[in-house]
Amino acid sequence: RSRARPGAEESRADFVKRQHKEREAREKKRIRDEKSKKIQAIWRGHRCRCVQRAEKRQVFDKRQADISKVGAVLPPAQKAKFVFHAILPMLRLFAFFFRRDEDAGRLSAILELLLLSGGQQAGCNVFHQALSDDDAARRSFLALLEKVVSALLASSRSQEAAQVLLALQASVFSPEYKPLDAEKS
């Protein structure tokens, strides 16, 4: 009872071809959607890290300005103690956000603080963290120091990297340093 016009109904072969093309189109769309989601996730992660670094830079700059203001009015001994207490949080911030092309001035600021503290007595010398009995504190400090030295080397400032390492050596092997075991006996 088919009164269909010739060519109006598609043949079985045409139907199969159309279904195959539609399936391919759906598969391509699914793959494209997956890849676009991945690209968007990577972009959002990158953007989030950039925002976090910018926020940490602002905190660093604020603390650096505060240290400069307070340090200008304190006598040298109190300034050394102040810097000693401020430097580890500053190093943590610096290690998080450092980018060679953006942070040359901040690298100079952290270097200045490190060398100031490194030239002090044991109680105010940040390099004595390398001798801490607390394994986590010692490792944390050495990782932060490694980040600073790496930043100096990446910035072609090998002379200053050598200064930091020499200050560390001088602090660690200074005659005033007495291990806690020696003080107890």
Side-chain angles (χ1 to χ4, degrees):
R1 179 155 216 298
S2 87
R3 288 186 174 197
R5 290 175 276 144
E9 289 183 19
E10 68 182 328
S11 69
R12 180 171 174 80
D14 291 340
F15 175 77
V16 170
K17 283 181 186 177
R18 184 173 54 80
Q19 290 296 320
H20 182 68
K21 286 181 181 178
E22 288 175 3
R23 217 177 357 258
E24 283 180 349
R26 285 191 305 270
E27 180 65 14
K28 285 180 182 177
K29 182 182 182 321
R30 184 187 64 77
I31 290 170
R32 187 176 56 247
D33 289 349
E34 286 176 4
K35 290 185 178 189
S36 68
K37 285 179 186 176
K38 191 170 191 171
I39 290 169
Q40 289 170 1
I42 290 169
W43 171 250
R44 282 191 305 270
H46 168 75
R47 188 72 199 127
C48 182
R49 286 186 300 277
C50 287
V51 167
Q52 284 294 308
R53 280 194 295 270
E55 288 174 8
K56 300 298 183 200
R57 281 185 181 98
Q58 285 179 338
V59 171
F60 182 93
D61 293 343
K62 173 79 170 92
R63 287 184 182 172
Q64 177 59 33
D66 292 346
I67 289 171
S68 295
K69 288 176 189 171
V70 172
V73 297
L74 289 176
Q78 287 180 319
K79 180 180 179 180
K81 190 170 188 170
F82 181 71
V83 167
F84 174 76
H85 290 293
I87 196 163
L88 282 178
M90 295 286 285
L91 283 169
R92 287 186 192 102
L93 287 170
F94 179 81
F96 179 79
F97 67 70
F98 178 75
R99 295 290 177 269
R100 182 179 60 221
D101 53 338
E102 298 177 51
D103 299 313
R106 293 176 185 97
L107 178 57
S108 295
I110 206 76
L111 176 66
E112 182 182 327
L113 293 175
L114 269 174
L115 295 176
L116 173 73
S117 181
Q120 303 303 315
Q121 302 290 329
C124 294
N125 187 329
V126 73
F127 291 119
H128 281 245
Q129 293 290 320
L131 303 169
S132 174
D133 287 336
D134 180 0
D135 191 48
R138 181 177 61 252
R139 287 176 185 252
S140 173
F141 171 72
L142 291 173
L144 293 171
L145 191 62
E146 177 186 13
K147 184 75 171 180
V148 172
V149 171
S150 295
L152 288 165
L153 293 173
S155 301
S156 300
R157 296 169 70 173
S158 55
Q159 295 275 146
E160 292 162 313
Q163 275 184 298
V164 170
L165 295 174
L166 287 171
L168 173 64
Q169 179 186 26
S171 298
V172 168
F173 296 110
S174 70
E176 73 180 47
Y177 174 72
K178 296 177 185 117
L180 293 177
D181 300 350
E183 291 176 7
K184 292 177 184 173
S185 51

